[in-house]
Amino acid sequence: MLLKIKSFLHDYFRIKRLKKFAESYPDLANLSVLDVGGTPYMWDRLNKHFGLVPKQVTLLNSNPVHLSSDNNSYQTVVGDARKLPFVDGQFDLVFSNSVIEHVGNSMDKSEFARECQRVGKEIYIQTPNRWFPIEPHIVALFIHWLPRNLYTKVHFISIMHLYQTSLRFKNGNSGSINTYKSADGADLLSYRQLKQLFPKNMIYKERTIGLDKSFVVSTRELGF
């Protein structure tokens, strides 16, 4: 039941976010897009729910399992988000959804931010808010506010429980194994930290239950 609730909430908020994204990028069909840390999930749903397909989508992920798809229209690259294998300004838009919090320490995040801005003419970078009370990966209250070493242990135990539970479902697959291998938790960012990483860009706040749930860094005005 917990896994189903977690999946429902993630899908609900992602579709809601995609609606805003579609409204902000009506010219998407003319844009080449690099999805850093991406999977086919977002773009399949963008097409399904809003009928939008970019001119070209390149998916970059460090884990090749996450790049598998029945849709052959995606270009896929196995690579490191901190050192993107592309030339300056190669893409019209660099997109990233809930990835920067997973790349490592503050230096890693700085390299991620620099690389996204280097290869993209525009950027759209989303990440959960550290000060939102619900930890988004396991849908638990306050655990991400614990000291890092304790948070890592609690997160690991919770993620392993979710994975073992998922094995009982018919749709369990090998991709789930790789998803749960990164069980050391995420280093969530605050508004101030994001502003330090992206000083020249607007940072928009996604609100729910009257609180800032997550942030979106963008070079374009968004309808939040």
Side-chain angles (χ1 to χ4, degrees), residues 35-40 59-69 75-82 99 102-103 173-183:
D35 187 345
V36 179
T39 70
L59 303 174
L60 181 138
N61 203 298
S62 61
N63 190 336
V65 171
H66 297 319
L67 296 174
S68 60
S69 173
Q75 296 185 21
T76 60
V77 177
V78 177
D80 187 340
R82 298 164 300 180
V99 174
H102 293 283
V103 300
N173 55 59
S174 60
S176 300
I177 296 173
N178 290 278
T179 298
Y180 292 110
K181 278 183 179 177
S182 60

Side-chain angles (χ1 to χ4, degrees), residues 149-205:
N149 60 340
L150 184 56
Y151 162 62
T152 298
K153 292 177 182 178
V154 174
H155 189 275
F156 179 84
I157 292 169
S158 301
I159 284 290
M160 288 301 104
H161 173 70
L162 284 173
Y163 171 63
Q164 290 166 4
T165 303
S166 74
L167 294 178
R168 302 189 184 103
F169 287 86
K170 184 177 180 181
N171 65 346
N173 55 59
S174 60
S176 300
I177 296 173
N178 290 278
T179 298
Y180 292 110
K181 278 183 179 177
S182 60
D184 58 341
D187 184 15
L188 302 183
L189 292 93
S190 67
Y191 181 92
R192 185 176 66 178
Q193 289 172 306
L194 272 182
K195 198 63 182 175
Q196 290 172 343
L197 292 169
F198 301 95
K200 297 180 180 179
N201 299 122
M202 293 293 296
I203 301 177
Y204 295 88
K205 300 175 181 179

Side-chain angles (χ1 to χ4, degrees), residues 27-64:
D27 56 339
L28 195 62
N30 300 317
L31 303 181
S32 60
V33 177
L34 170 66
D35 187 345
V36 179
T39 70
Y41 174 94
M42 301 292 287
W43 307 101
D44 288 346
R45 277 152 183 76
L46 186 68
N47 185 15
K48 176 182 177 181
H49 291 280
F50 307 107
L52 275 180
V53 179
K55 179 175 68 175
Q56 173 192 321
V57 175
T58 300
L59 303 174
L60 181 138
N61 203 298
S62 61
N63 190 336

